[in-house]
Structures are given as structure tokens and as C-alpha cells.
Amino acid sequence: MFTRIFKRLIVLCFIVTFAGNSMAKPPSQSCLSGTWQNELGSNVTLNHNCDGKLSGEYWSSVGTPGKEPSPLSGFSDPNSKSNTLGFIVSWNDGTSLTTWAGEYFCDDKPTIMTMWILSSSTGNPEDYWGSNRIGQDIFHRVTT
């Protein structure tokens, strides 16, 4: 009898360990990849790989929007229990760039909430004081 119970426990442990791990994806991988839109109509397409690297494109609808998307790169740790991320976009051949940092939420309405800093080249140290702008964006998943 003890042997039968022991065998059943081993089988149960095997099923829980291997079946659970093969079916579960980290929330960051299953949630972050895709197209997102912020409250101003700018679109970001994110690709999140298993190493945590983010890549993609940003289509701006404000400032001086280009006809082409701007490339982005960033990071979100897929092995972490946190849901933080950060990414950066270079504009106008590198004369300005924006960084976004925040959190994502993978519930019934996936959302990315960020703070951003836009830094622009001023050309001289006396004008540096006016080179940064700070704001926030809330992105929602675009469904196709």
C-alpha cells in the first residue's frame, strides 16, 4: 500500500512540475509583444524576446511625426516577478530621444503605464536648462 501511494505522489509531482511549466508563459512574454496605442494616437509595436530584450517601432502622432516609424529598443525581465519595462526611441537622426519607463498590466484590459523624458540637443550649455520635457503615457493594446 505504501508503494502504491508513493508511486501516485511521484506521478502527481511529475505532472504538476512539467505540465505546469510547459503550459505557463511568463506574463511579460505573453502580454508585451504586440501593438499598443497611447492617448494621443501614437502607436508602438513591441517584440519581447525570451532574454527580456524589447525591440520594435514607434509611430508618433505628435511633434513632427515622420512618414517612417522610429526604431526602439528596451528591456523587461521575463524572469522577474515585477512587471516593469523601459524603452528608448531616437528621433530626427539622433538630435532628440525619448525614454519611457513604467509598468504593464496583463489583465482583461492590457495596459502599459509609463513616465517619459524627451531630451533634445540644444547646441550649447547655456540652453541646456530647456532641453528636457517630462510627461506620461498610457498605452492600450490595439486589437486587430
Side-chain angles (χ1 to χ4, degrees), residues 7 37 41 46 71 88 105:
K7 285 180 182 178
Q37 186 174 70
L46 296 175
I88 186 168
F105 302 93

Side-chain angles (χ1 to χ4, degrees), residues 25-55:
K25 283 185 177 179
S28 56
Q29 285 182 294
S30 61
C31 181
L32 277 177
S33 292
T35 301
W36 301 80
Q37 186 174 70
N38 70 11
E39 65 280 3
L40 298 175
S42 296
N43 288 326
V44 61
T45 300
L46 296 175
N47 302 306
H48 190 222
N49 73 17
C50 60
D51 293 333
K53 294 178 184 172
L54 290 170
S55 62

Side-chain angles (χ1 to χ4, degrees), residues 9-81:
L9 283 174
I10 289 175
V11 170
L12 181 60
C13 288
F14 179 83
I15 290 170
V16 169
T17 301
F18 292 103
N21 286 342
S22 66
M23 295 179 353
K25 283 185 177 179
S28 56
Q29 285 182 294
S30 61
C31 181
L32 277 177
S33 292
T35 301
W36 301 80
Q37 186 174 70
N38 70 11
E39 65 280 3
L40 298 175
S42 296
N43 288 326
V44 61
T45 300
L46 296 175
N47 302 306
H48 190 222
N49 73 17
C50 60
D51 293 333
K53 294 178 184 172
L54 290 170
S55 62
E57 299 177 326
Y58 196 98
W59 292 82
S60 180
S61 67
V62 297
T64 54
K67 296 180 186 200
E68 297 292 322
S70 297
L72 70 79
S73 63
F75 185 78
S76 179
D77 188 350
N79 300 314
S80 173
K81 291 183 180 180

Side-chain angles (χ1 to χ4, degrees), residues 20-143:
N21 286 342
S22 66
M23 295 179 353
K25 283 185 177 179
S28 56
Q29 285 182 294
S30 61
C31 181
L32 277 177
S33 292
T35 301
W36 301 80
Q37 186 174 70
N38 70 11
E39 65 280 3
L40 298 175
S42 296
N43 288 326
V44 61
T45 300
L46 296 175
N47 302 306
H48 190 222
N49 73 17
C50 60
D51 293 333
K53 294 178 184 172
L54 290 170
S55 62
E57 299 177 326
Y58 196 98
W59 292 82
S60 180
S61 67
V62 297
T64 54
K67 296 180 186 200
E68 297 292 322
S70 297
L72 70 79
S73 63
F75 185 78
S76 179
D77 188 350
N79 300 314
S80 173
K81 291 183 180 180
S82 75
N83 54 343
T84 57
L85 79 156
F87 59 92
I88 186 168
V89 174
S90 178
W91 311 101
N92 304 321
D93 296 324
T95 59
S96 63
L97 57 88
T98 304
T99 58
W100 286 261
E103 291 186 73
Y104 61 92
F105 302 93
C106 295
D107 52 17
D108 58 339
K109 189 175 180 183
T111 304
I112 300 173
M113 302 179 81
T114 64
M115 295 293 295
W116 55 261
I117 299 176
L118 168 64
S119 295
S120 300
S121 175
T122 61
N124 65 58
E126 291 81 28
D127 293 331
Y128 176 74
W129 65 269
S131 66
N132 293 302
R133 297 180 188 152
I134 300 172
Q136 66 180 10
D137 276 325
I138 298 174
F139 295 89
H140 297 284
R141 181 176 297 286
V142 174
T143 55

